[in-house]
Amino acid sequence: MEGDRSSYPPDSWLQVRGSMITETLNSQRQLVIQASAIEPIPEPRDPYAY
């Protein structure tokens, strides 16, 4: 998927589907999500449940 976070307004909610991969950013390996689908969703009823 191409794009970046500027494609989505601040404080919006998204459902992201994809795979966890490692990528080197600023000379450090980081765990990132390689998104295969990103879909805007309404704010969840309990947005901070985890």
Side-chain angles (χ1 to χ4, degrees), residues 10 21 23 25 28:
I21 63 169
E23 195 169 280
L25 304 168
Q28 293 185 339

Side-chain angles (χ1 to χ4, degrees), residues 8 10 17 19 30 34 36 40 42-44 48-49:
Y8 306 97
R17 290 185 191 93
S19 301
Q30 302 286 323
Q34 183 176 35
S36 59
E43 181 175 338
Y48 299 105

